[in-house]
Each structure stands twice: as C-alpha cells, then as structure tokens.
Amino acid sequence: MATVVPMHLEVLGAMGAVEFIPTHDGGPLGKFWPWLKAFPRVIGAKRRHRDARCVFHLHPGSGFCLIRMLILAAIVRYGLRRPVLVYLHTPYLDRYLNGWYWRGVLSGLVKCADRVIVLTSYALGLLEAHGLADTTRVVPNPYSPSDARKERQLSRDGGVTVLAMGRLVEGKGFMETLYAMPHLPENYRLIIAGEGELNEAIGEAIDSLGLRRRVLMSGWVEGDKKEELLLSADVFCLPSRVDSFGMSFIEAQVYDVPIVAYAHEPVIEVIREHGGVFVDSLNPKAIAMAIKKANDLNSEMRPGSGKKWVCDSFGIERTRHRLSSVIKEVA
C-alpha cells in the first residue's frame, strides 16, 4: 500500500482535485484513532466540495480493516449520499468468500459501493461465482516508473544474485526461496529485502542451513537503495501464494529482471510473456531449478522492454483512462 496509494493519488490528481484522508497508521492506535478522525474529515470534504462531483474512493486492506471501511462506506453512501468506489486489495479474497462471516462483510461492502474495483480478472471471477460482481470493474494498480534510470549491471564475477523483496510474512515464499539455496551452486547468492513477522525465523534458518556467507538480509529498502538492488539482481524470486496483484513483480520487470513466481492466478496476470518462470510446487529443488532457468533468460532480455510493457499495461495514463470510465458511470 505504501507504493499503491501514492500512485492512485497521482492518477486521481490527473483527473481533478484530490484529497487524501488516512484511516490508519503504524502507531499503537493506528487502527482506531486515525479512523475516528477520518469521519469529521469526510464530512468536511463533503461540505467543501458540495458543488462538485465528489466521489469517495475507499481502499480497505484485510481483516478488521474491511469492517472499519464497511462502516465508513455505509455512512458516506447512505448518510452523506455521495458516490463510493470500494477497492478490494485483499489477497485473501478467495478464503473470505468461502467463509460465511467474511462473505457477509464483503457483501455489505459491495452493497454500500456504487462500484467495486478489483485488480485482476481472477478476483472478478471469484466475485462472479458468489453473485457479487454486478457493479465490479477491473482496474489494475497503477505504476509510474522513474524517469531517471541507470543501466542494469549483471554480475561480472561469475556470481548470480537472487533478490527476494516484500513483506516478510507467511505465504510470500521467502522461506521456500531460502530453502532452495543449498540446491544451487556456490556462486548463487540471495538478498532478502523487507521487514515483517518472519524476520527472526529467516535469520535462524540462515544459520541452521549454514548460509550466512551466501545470504544477506538488507531490511526494508526504498528509493535509491531499492533501485540499486533491482539493478544488481540477476533473478527476482518470490513464489508467493498470497498476492492479490504483486507490485514487487511489476517493479522487477521495469528493470528487466527475470522472475520466478508461483503459478498463482493473480500473479500470472501481472507477469509478461517470457518474462519469468512459474513453479507449481514449493519443493526447494523445483524452485532452485526455476531460478537457474530464470537466470538463463537474461540473455534474451531486451533492455528497456520491461519498462515499456509495464507502462503500456499499468502506466498512469492507462489506469487514468480505465478509472475515469468507472467514475463517469457513478458521477
């Protein structure tokens, strides 16, 4: 969301005035206090823009956040009588729809929304299967690559750098990527970039596998440091089963880095043809073999082709056009 929300603000800003109202932050009261403060700010925004076509865009996450945003959506739609667009980003959509409680929460969100935005046709299909797709539209997350871009530098010392980047949580594939390292030649090294609940477990696994010399944990990266990692990577490996879109895959493709990904439908939709290798097993040997195959793709990568594909598929202008069509339906 740290990448997605600013990009969405850029898209909306290209269409007119936009105001950002946060509903949570990373503090100890982050799930409640910012949410409570959002209510008077929403009312204030409605008053300030009473003569304009004011549309509220709600971006709930997962779990309790869905309930918080359901309450806010109901107040905006039925209390303030303003159009509401609800963006379903959650990677657990399939699981939620198969449980009566969360399916009820999602159904409430759909009823409170003039339009529901999902990121992939896979998510649209899930809602269709439960009769919740009548007002749903597919609008992928936008991405705006940096204009200033250095040339990607492949390893010249015979080494192969594998990059795994994202939130260090279960289901993302970090542990599986780490377990694949003993099955790769000594010249393969792994950089794990990110922070999260698996931080300690990954560190312990590195020691138990005797991989301290070949694996580096860089912590959370952003800006120039993230760009440096992507420019130096030979392979991006993240066999995730819980991504609803996968912005990290988009970022890697901007730098023409071949990808190893799990054959998870939402992820398949955001990886270009011949841009990576998919695995249908989390077996360490299978992942190691896929990493080798992905590294071989470097010789076929045309410099700049990944960035062009990302701009054509998910660029600000393309997303603005898609989102503008949805807004016109309700405003």
Side-chain angles (χ1 to χ4, degrees):
M1 294 301 286
T3 301
V4 170
V5 170
M7 296 292 180
H8 270 288
L9 292 176
E10 185 176 346
V11 170
L12 294 173
M15 290 188 277
V18 58
E19 183 174 339
F20 175 55
I21 301 176
T23 57
H24 74 282
D25 61 36
L29 298 177
K31 291 185 177 181
F32 295 98
W33 184 236
W35 174 64
L36 292 174
K37 288 196 298 182
F39 287 90
R41 292 187 64 179
V42 164
I43 294 171
K46 188 244 184 180
R47 288 175 176 171
R48 284 191 299 278
H49 304 291
R50 58 181 174 271
D51 295 328
R53 292 181 175 181
C54 184
V55 178
F56 285 86
H57 300 248
L58 275 61
H59 289 258
S62 301
F64 184 64
C65 185
L66 289 167
I67 298 174
R68 293 189 300 120
M69 298 304 262
L70 170 58
I71 296 170
L72 189 58
I75 291 174
V76 173
R77 174 84 185 278
Y78 299 113
L80 302 181
R81 296 187 179 279
R82 290 295 184 185
V84 174
L85 268 60
V86 172
Y87 296 69
L88 290 181
H89 296 279
T90 176
Y92 311 114
L93 185 60
D94 191 6
R95 191 177 80 193
Y96 286 162
L97 287 171
N98 286 319
W100 67 269
Y101 177 80
W102 288 111
R103 185 169 63 248
V105 172
L106 290 171
S107 178
L109 268 171
V110 170
K111 290 176 181 177
C112 289
D114 290 271
R115 293 293 183 274
V116 174
I117 304 293
V118 293
L119 306 177
T120 62
S121 58
Y122 171 75
L124 176 63
L126 292 177
L127 291 176
E128 285 177 339
H130 290 84
L132 298 174
D134 288 347
T135 61
T136 302
R137 305 290 184 267
V138 177
V139 180
N141 279 333
Y143 189 79
S144 178
S146 171
D147 289 332
R149 178 172 174 268
K150 305 170 186 174
E151 285 297 320
R152 180 167 165 242
Q153 297 294 324
L154 297 179
S155 302
R156 297 181 181 278
D157 59 358
V160 177
T161 300
V162 181
L163 174 63
M165 182 170 64
R167 289 182 301 113
L168 305 185
V169 295
E170 289 286 351
K172 281 281 192 175
F174 287 100
M175 296 299 290
E176 291 82 357
T177 301
L178 180 60
Y179 292 143
M181 289 303 291
H183 302 282
L184 289 166
E186 286 290 318
N187 64 317
Y188 279 72
R189 50 182 177 261
L190 172 65
I191 298 176
I192 298 176
E195 293 178 351
E197 61 194 42
L198 288 180
N199 195 80
E200 186 176 340
I202 290 174
E204 292 175 354
I206 291 172
D207 289 332
S208 66
L209 293 169
L211 292 172
R212 186 58 63 181
R213 186 175 59 83
R214 297 173 57 199
V215 179
L216 169 67
M217 296 184 69
S218 69
W220 181 259
V221 293
E222 56 187 351
D224 291 342
K225 192 168 183 180
K226 180 192 286 188
E227 183 179 46
E228 288 175 10
L229 285 180
L230 288 165
L231 284 168
S232 64
D234 298 285
V235 175
F236 182 86
C237 182
L238 198 68
S240 171
R241 294 158 291 153
V242 296
D243 271 290
S244 58
F245 188 74
M247 289 301 289
S248 57
F249 297 110
I250 301 297
E251 291 174 319
Q253 289 176 103
V254 167
Y255 294 89
D256 301 314
V257 184
I259 290 168
V260 173
Y262 188 73
H264 182 44
E265 288 293 337
V267 172
I268 292 174
E269 288 190 39
V270 302
I271 296 178
R272 60 175 170 154
E273 189 176 6
H274 308 305
V277 178
F278 293 102
V279 294
D280 55 13
S281 167
L282 295 177
N283 180 282
K285 290 184 178 179
I287 294 175
M289 185 177 297
I291 290 173
K292 290 181 180 179
K293 289 181 179 178
N295 184 48
D296 291 339
L297 291 176
N298 278 300
S299 61
E300 303 173 15
M301 291 288 181
R302 278 190 301 110
S305 60
K307 182 177 181 179
K308 183 181 184 305
W309 184 83
V310 168
C311 289
D312 290 345
S313 303
F314 311 109
I316 296 295
E317 184 58 29
R318 181 164 177 75
T319 305
R320 186 198 66 78
H321 178 74
R322 289 179 172 180
L323 195 53
S324 178
S325 297
V326 178
I327 293 173
K328 286 177 181 177
E329 292 179 19
V330 303

CSV table of all heavy atoms in Angstrom, one decimal, residues 30-71:
chain,number,residue,atom,x,y,z
A,30,GLY,N,-3.1,3.0,15.7
A,30,GLY,CA,-3.2,3.2,14.2
A,30,GLY,C,-4.5,2.6,13.6
A,30,GLY,O,-4.9,3.1,12.6
A,31,LYS,N,-5.1,1.6,14.2
A,31,LYS,CA,-6.3,1.1,13.6
A,31,LYS,C,-7.6,1.8,14.1
A,31,LYS,O,-8.7,1.5,13.5
A,31,LYS,CB,-6.4,-0.4,13.9
A,31,LYS,CG,-5.4,-1.3,13.2
A,31,LYS,CD,-5.6,-2.7,13.5
A,31,LYS,CE,-4.6,-3.6,12.7
A,31,LYS,NZ,-4.8,-5.0,12.9
A,32,PHE,N,-7.5,2.6,15.1
A,32,PHE,CA,-8.7,3.2,15.6
A,32,PHE,C,-8.7,4.8,15.5
A,32,PHE,O,-9.6,5.4,15.0
A,32,PHE,CB,-8.9,2.8,17.1
A,32,PHE,CG,-9.1,1.3,17.2
A,32,PHE,CD1,-8.1,0.5,17.6
A,32,PHE,CD2,-10.4,0.8,17.0
A,32,PHE,CE1,-8.3,-0.9,17.7
A,32,PHE,CE2,-10.6,-0.5,17.2
A,32,PHE,CZ,-9.6,-1.4,17.5
A,33,TRP,N,-7.7,5.4,16.1
A,33,TRP,CA,-7.7,6.9,16.2
A,33,TRP,C,-7.7,7.5,14.8
A,33,TRP,O,-8.5,8.4,14.6
A,33,TRP,CB,-6.5,7.3,17.0
A,33,TRP,CG,-6.4,8.8,17.3
A,33,TRP,CD1,-5.4,9.6,17.0
A,33,TRP,CD2,-7.5,9.6,17.8
A,33,TRP,NE1,-5.7,10.9,17.3
A,33,TRP,CE2,-7.0,11.0,17.8
A,33,TRP,CE3,-8.8,9.4,18.3
A,33,TRP,CZ2,-7.8,12.0,18.3
A,33,TRP,CZ3,-9.5,10.4,18.8
A,33,TRP,CH2,-9.0,11.7,18.8
A,34,PRO,N,-6.8,7.2,13.9
A,34,PRO,CA,-6.9,7.8,12.5
A,34,PRO,C,-8.3,7.5,11.9
A,34,PRO,O,-8.8,8.4,11.2
A,34,PRO,CB,-5.8,7.1,11.8
A,34,PRO,CG,-4.8,6.7,12.8
A,34,PRO,CD,-5.7,6.2,13.9
A,35,TRP,N,-8.8,6.4,12.1
A,35,TRP,CA,-10.2,6.0,11.6
A,35,TRP,C,-11.2,6.9,12.1
A,35,TRP,O,-12.1,7.4,11.4
A,35,TRP,CB,-10.5,4.5,11.9
A,35,TRP,CG,-11.8,4.1,11.4
A,35,TRP,CD1,-12.3,4.0,10.2
A,35,TRP,CD2,-12.9,3.6,12.3
A,35,TRP,NE1,-13.6,3.5,10.2
A,35,TRP,CE2,-14.0,3.2,11.5
A,35,TRP,CE3,-13.0,3.4,13.7
A,35,TRP,CZ2,-15.1,2.7,12.0
A,35,TRP,CZ3,-14.1,2.9,14.2
A,35,TRP,CH2,-15.2,2.6,13.4
A,36,LEU,N,-11.2,7.2,13.4
A,36,LEU,CA,-12.2,8.0,14.1
A,36,LEU,C,-12.0,9.5,13.6
A,36,LEU,O,-13.0,10.2,13.3
A,36,LEU,CB,-12.0,8.0,15.6
A,36,LEU,CG,-12.4,6.7,16.3
A,36,LEU,CD1,-12.1,6.7,17.8
A,36,LEU,CD2,-13.9,6.4,16.1
A,37,LYS,N,-10.8,9.9,13.4
A,37,LYS,CA,-10.6,11.3,12.9
A,37,LYS,C,-11.0,11.4,11.5
A,37,LYS,O,-11.2,12.5,11.0
A,37,LYS,CB,-9.1,11.6,13.0
A,37,LYS,CG,-8.6,11.8,14.5
A,37,LYS,CD,-7.3,12.6,14.5
A,37,LYS,CE,-6.2,11.8,13.8
A,37,LYS,NZ,-4.8,12.5,14.0
A,38,ALA,N,-11.1,10.3,10.8
A,38,ALA,CA,-11.5,10.4,9.3
A,38,ALA,C,-12.9,10.8,9.2
A,38,ALA,O,-13.3,11.5,8.2
A,38,ALA,CB,-11.3,9.0,8.7
A,39,PHE,N,-13.8,10.5,10.1
A,39,PHE,CA,-15.2,10.8,10.0
A,39,PHE,C,-15.5,12.3,9.9
A,39,PHE,O,-16.1,12.8,8.9
A,39,PHE,CB,-16.0,10.2,11.1
A,39,PHE,CG,-16.2,8.7,11.0
A,39,PHE,CD1,-15.2,7.9,11.6
A,39,PHE,CD2,-17.2,8.2,10.3
A,39,PHE,CE1,-15.4,6.5,11.5
A,39,PHE,CE2,-17.4,6.8,10.2
A,39,PHE,CZ,-16.4,6.0,10.8
A,40,PRO,N,-15.0,13.2,10.8
A,40,PRO,CA,-15.2,14.6,10.6
A,40,PRO,C,-14.5,15.1,9.3
A,40,PRO,O,-15.0,16.1,8.7
A,40,PRO,CB,-14.6,15.2,11.9
A,40,PRO,CG,-13.7,14.2,12.5
A,40,PRO,CD,-14.3,12.9,12.1
A,41,ARG,N,-13.4,14.5,8.9
A,41,ARG,CA,-12.7,15.0,7.7
A,41,ARG,C,-13.5,14.7,6.5
A,41,ARG,O,-13.5,15.4,5.5
A,41,ARG,CB,-11.3,14.4,7.7
A,41,ARG,CG,-10.3,14.8,8.7
A,41,ARG,CD,-8.9,14.3,8.5
A,41,ARG,NE,-8.3,14.8,7.3
A,41,ARG,CZ,-7.1,14.5,6.9
A,41,ARG,NH1,-6.3,13.8,7.6
A,41,ARG,NH2,-6.7,15.0,5.7
A,42,VAL,N,-14.2,13.5,6.5
A,42,VAL,CA,-15.0,13.1,5.4
A,42,VAL,C,-16.2,14.1,5.3
A,42,VAL,O,-16.5,14.6,4.2
A,42,VAL,CB,-15.6,11.7,5.6
A,42,VAL,CG1,-16.7,11.4,4.7
A,42,VAL,CG2,-14.4,10.7,5.3
A,43,ILE,N,-16.8,14.4,6.4
A,43,ILE,CA,-17.9,15.4,6.4
A,43,ILE,C,-17.4,16.8,5.9
A,43,ILE,O,-18.1,17.4,5.1
A,43,ILE,CB,-18.5,15.5,7.8
A,43,ILE,CG1,-19.2,14.2,8.2
A,43,ILE,CG2,-19.6,16.6,7.9
A,43,ILE,CD1,-19.6,14.1,9.7
A,44,GLY,N,-16.2,17.2,6.4
A,44,GLY,CA,-15.7,18.4,5.9
A,44,GLY,C,-15.4,18.5,4.4
A,44,GLY,O,-15.7,19.5,3.8
A,45,ALA,N,-14.9,17.3,3.9
A,45,ALA,CA,-14.7,17.3,2.5
A,45,ALA,C,-16.0,17.4,1.7
A,45,ALA,O,-16.0,18.0,0.6
A,45,ALA,CB,-14.0,15.9,2.1
A,46,LYS,N,-17.0,16.7,2.2
A,46,LYS,CA,-18.3,16.8,1.5
A,46,LYS,C,-18.8,18.2,1.5
A,46,LYS,O,-19.4,18.7,0.5
A,46,LYS,CB,-19.3,15.9,2.3
A,46,LYS,CG,-20.6,15.7,1.5
A,46,LYS,CD,-21.8,16.3,2.3
A,46,LYS,CE,-23.1,16.1,1.7
A,46,LYS,NZ,-24.2,16.6,2.4
A,47,ARG,N,-18.6,19.0,2.6
A,47,ARG,CA,-19.1,20.4,2.6
A,47,ARG,C,-18.3,21.2,1.7
A,47,ARG,O,-18.8,22.1,1.0
A,47,ARG,CB,-19.0,20.9,4.1
A,47,ARG,CG,-20.1,20.3,5.0
A,47,ARG,CD,-19.9,20.7,6.4
A,47,ARG,NE,-20.9,20.2,7.3
A,47,ARG,CZ,-20.9,20.3,8.6
A,47,ARG,NH1,-19.9,20.9,9.2
A,47,ARG,NH2,-21.9,19.9,9.3
A,48,ARG,N,-17.0,21.0,1.7
A,48,ARG,CA,-16.1,21.9,0.9
A,48,ARG,C,-16.3,21.7,-0.6
A,48,ARG,O,-16.2,22.6,-1.4
A,48,ARG,CB,-14.6,21.6,1.2
A,48,ARG,CG,-14.1,22.2,2.5
A,48,ARG,CD,-12.6,22.1,2.6
A,48,ARG,NE,-12.1,20.7,2.6
A,48,ARG,CZ,-12.1,19.9,3.6
A,48,ARG,NH1,-12.5,20.4,4.8
A,48,ARG,NH2,-11.6,18.7,3.5
A,49,HIS,N,-16.7,20.4,-1.0
A,49,HIS,CA,-16.9,20.1,-2.4
A,49,HIS,C,-18.4,19.9,-2.7
A,49,HIS,O,-18.7,19.1,-3.6
A,49,HIS,CB,-16.1,18.9,-2.7
A,49,HIS,CG,-14.6,19.0,-2.4
A,49,HIS,ND1,-13.8,19.9,-3.1
A,49,HIS,CD2,-13.8,18.4,-1.5
A,49,HIS,CE1,-12.6,19.8,-2.6
A,49,HIS,NE2,-12.6,18.9,-1.6
A,50,ARG,N,-19.3,20.5,-2.0
A,50,ARG,CA,-20.7,20.3,-2.2
A,50,ARG,C,-21.2,20.7,-3.6
A,50,ARG,O,-22.2,20.1,-4.0
A,50,ARG,CB,-21.5,21.0,-1.1
A,50,ARG,CG,-21.4,22.5,-1.0
A,50,ARG,CD,-22.2,23.1,0.1
A,50,ARG,NE,-22.0,24.5,0.3
A,50,ARG,CZ,-21.0,25.0,1.1
A,50,ARG,NH1,-20.3,24.1,1.8
A,50,ARG,NH2,-20.9,26.3,1.2
A,51,ASP,N,-20.5,21.6,-4.2
A,51,ASP,CA,-20.9,22.0,-5.5
A,51,ASP,C,-20.2,21.2,-6.6
A,51,ASP,O,-20.4,21.4,-7.8
A,51,ASP,CB,-20.7,23.5,-5.7
A,51,ASP,CG,-21.5,24.3,-4.8
A,51,ASP,OD1,-22.6,23.9,-4.5
A,51,ASP,OD2,-21.0,25.4,-4.4
A,52,ALA,N,-19.3,20.3,-6.2
A,52,ALA,CA,-18.6,19.5,-7.2
A,52,ALA,C,-19.1,18.0,-7.2
A,52,ALA,O,-19.8,17.6,-6.4
A,52,ALA,CB,-17.1,19.5,-6.9
A,53,ARG,N,-18.6,17.3,-8.2
A,53,ARG,CA,-18.9,15.9,-8.3
A,53,ARG,C,-18.0,15.1,-7.5
A,53,ARG,O,-16.9,14.6,-7.9
A,53,ARG,CB,-18.9,15.4,-9.8
A,53,ARG,CG,-20.0,16.0,-10.6
A,53,ARG,CD,-19.9,15.5,-12.0
A,53,ARG,NE,-21.0,15.9,-12.9
A,53,ARG,CZ,-21.2,15.6,-14.1
A,53,ARG,NH1,-20.3,14.8,-14.7
A,53,ARG,NH2,-22.2,16.0,-14.8
A,54,CYS,N,-18.2,15.1,-6.2
A,54,CYS,CA,-17.3,14.5,-5.2
A,54,CYS,C,-17.5,13.0,-5.1
A,54,CYS,O,-18.6,12.5,-4.7
A,54,CYS,CB,-17.5,15.1,-3.9
A,54,CYS,SG,-16.4,14.6,-2.6
A,55,VAL,N,-16.5,12.2,-5.4
A,55,VAL,CA,-16.6,10.7,-5.3
A,55,VAL,C,-15.6,10.3,-4.3
A,55,VAL,O,-14.4,10.7,-4.3
A,55,VAL,CB,-16.3,10.1,-6.7
A,55,VAL,CG1,-16.3,8.6,-6.6
A,55,VAL,CG2,-17.3,10.6,-7.8
A,56,PHE,N,-16.0,9.4,-3.4
A,56,PHE,CA,-15.1,8.9,-2.3
A,56,PHE,C,-14.5,7.5,-2.8
A,56,PHE,O,-15.3,6.7,-3.2
A,56,PHE,CB,-15.9,8.8,-1.0
A,56,PHE,CG,-16.1,10.1,-0.3
A,56,PHE,CD1,-17.2,10.9,-0.7
A,56,PHE,CD2,-15.2,10.6,0.6
A,56,PHE,CE1,-17.4,12.1,0.0
A,56,PHE,CE2,-15.4,11.8,1.2
A,56,PHE,CZ,-16.5,12.6,0.9
A,57,HIS,N,-13.2,7.4,-2.7
A,57,HIS,CA,-12.5,6.2,-3.0
A,57,HIS,C,-12.0,5.5,-1.7
A,57,HIS,O,-11.1,6.1,-1.1
A,57,HIS,CB,-11.3,6.5,-4.0
A,57,HIS,CG,-11.7,7.2,-5.2
A,57,HIS,ND1,-11.6,6.5,-6.5
A,57,HIS,CD2,-12.3,8.4,-5.5
A,57,HIS,CE1,-12.1,7.4,-7.4
A,57,HIS,NE2,-12.4,8.5,-6.8
A,58,LEU,N,-12.5,4.4,-1.4
A,58,LEU,CA,-12.1,3.7,-0.2
A,58,LEU,C,-11.2,2.5,-0.5
A,58,LEU,O,-11.5,1.7,-1.4
A,58,LEU,CB,-13.4,3.2,0.6
A,58,LEU,CG,-14.0,4.2,1.5
A,58,LEU,CD1,-14.5,5.4,0.7
A,58,LEU,CD2,-15.2,3.5,2.3
A,59,HIS,N,-10.1,2.4,0.2
A,59,HIS,CA,-9.1,1.3,0.0
A,59,HIS,C,-8.9,0.5,1.2
A,59,HIS,O,-8.0,0.6,2.0
A,59,HIS,CB,-7.8,2.0,-0.4
A,59,HIS,CG,-7.7,2.6,-1.7
A,59,HIS,ND1,-7.1,2.0,-2.8
A,59,HIS,CD2,-8.2,3.8,-2.2
A,59,HIS,CE1,-7.3,2.8,-3.9
A,59,HIS,NE2,-7.9,3.9,-3.5
A,60,PRO,N,-9.9,-0.4,1.5
A,60,PRO,CA,-9.7,-1.3,2.7
A,60,PRO,C,-8.6,-2.4,2.4
A,60,PRO,O,-8.3,-2.7,1.3
A,60,PRO,CB,-11.1,-2.0,2.8
A,60,PRO,CG,-11.6,-2.0,1.4
A,60,PRO,CD,-11.1,-0.7,0.8
A,61,GLY,N,-8.0,-2.8,3.5
A,61,GLY,CA,-7.0,-3.9,3.4
A,61,GLY,C,-7.6,-5.2,3.7
A,61,GLY,O,-8.6,-5.6,3.0
A,62,SER,N,-7.2,-5.9,4.7
A,62,SER,CA,-7.7,-7.2,5.0
A,62,SER,C,-8.1,-7.2,6.5
A,62,SER,O,-7.9,-6.3,7.3
A,62,SER,CB,-6.6,-8.3,4.8
A,62,SER,OG,-6.2,-8.3,3.5
A,63,GLY,N,-8.9,-8.3,6.9
A,63,GLY,CA,-9.3,-8.5,8.3
A,63,GLY,C,-10.2,-7.3,8.8
A,63,GLY,O,-11.1,-6.9,8.1
A,64,PHE,N,-9.8,-6.9,10.0
A,64,PHE,CA,-10.7,-5.9,10.6
A,64,PHE,C,-10.8,-4.6,9.8
A,64,PHE,O,-11.8,-3.8,9.9
A,64,PHE,CB,-10.1,-5.5,12.0
A,64,PHE,CG,-10.9,-4.6,12.8
A,64,PHE,CD1,-12.2,-4.9,13.3
A,64,PHE,CD2,-10.4,-3.3,13.2
A,64,PHE,CE1,-12.9,-4.0,14.0
A,64,PHE,CE2,-11.1,-2.4,13.9
A,64,PHE,CZ,-12.4,-2.8,14.3
A,65,CYS,N,-9.8,-4.3,9.0
A,65,CYS,CA,-9.9,-3.1,8.1
A,65,CYS,C,-11.1,-3.1,7.2
A,65,CYS,O,-11.7,-2.1,6.9
A,65,CYS,CB,-8.6,-3.0,7.3
A,65,CYS,SG,-8.5,-1.5,6.3
A,66,LEU,N,-11.5,-4.3,6.8
A,66,LEU,CA,-12.7,-4.4,6.0
A,66,LEU,C,-14.0,-3.9,6.7
A,66,LEU,O,-14.8,-3.3,6.2
A,66,LEU,CB,-12.9,-5.9,5.5
A,66,LEU,CG,-11.9,-6.4,4.5
A,66,LEU,CD1,-12.0,-7.9,4.4
A,66,LEU,CD2,-12.1,-5.7,3.1
A,67,ILE,N,-14.0,-4.3,8.0
A,67,ILE,CA,-15.2,-3.8,8.8
A,67,ILE,C,-15.2,-2.3,9.1
A,67,ILE,O,-16.2,-1.7,9.0
A,67,ILE,CB,-15.1,-4.6,10.2
A,67,ILE,CG1,-15.3,-6.1,10.0
A,67,ILE,CG2,-16.3,-4.1,11.1
A,67,ILE,CD1,-15.1,-6.9,11.2
A,68,ARG,N,-14.0,-1.8,9.4
A,68,ARG,CA,-13.9,-0.3,9.6
A,68,ARG,C,-14.3,0.4,8.3
A,68,ARG,O,-15.1,1.4,8.4
A,68,ARG,CB,-12.4,0.0,9.9
A,68,ARG,CG,-12.0,-0.5,11.2
A,68,ARG,CD,-10.6,0.1,11.6
A,68,ARG,NE,-9.6,-0.2,10.7
A,68,ARG,CZ,-8.9,0.6,10.0
A,68,ARG,NH1,-9.1,1.9,10.2
A,68,ARG,NH2,-7.9,0.3,9.2
A,69,MET,N,-13.9,-0.1,7.2
A,69,MET,CA,-14.2,0.6,5.9
A,69,MET,C,-15.7,0.4,5.5
A,69,MET,O,-16.3,1.2,4.8
A,69,MET,CB,-13.3,0.2,4.8
A,69,MET,CG,-11.8,0.6,5.1
A,69,MET,SD,-11.6,2.4,5.4
A,69,MET,CE,-11.1,2.9,3.8
A,70,LEU,N,-16.3,-0.8,5.9
A,70,LEU,CA,-17.7,-1.0,5.7
A,70,LEU,C,-18.5,0.0,6.4
A,70,LEU,O,-19.5,0.6,5.8
A,70,LEU,CB,-18.0,-2.4,6.2
A,70,LEU,CG,-19.5,-2.7,6.2
A,70,LEU,CD1,-20.2,-2.6,4.8
A,70,LEU,CD2,-19.8,-4.2,6.7
A,71,ILE,N,-18.2,0.4,7.6
A,71,ILE,CA,-18.9,1.4,8.4
A,71,ILE,C,-18.8,2.7,7.7
A,71,ILE,O,-19.8,3.5,7.5
A,71,ILE,CB,-18.4,1.4,9.8
A,71,ILE,CG1,-18.7,0.1,10.6
A,71,ILE,CG2,-19.0,2.6,10.6
A,71,ILE,CD1,-18.0,0.0,11.9
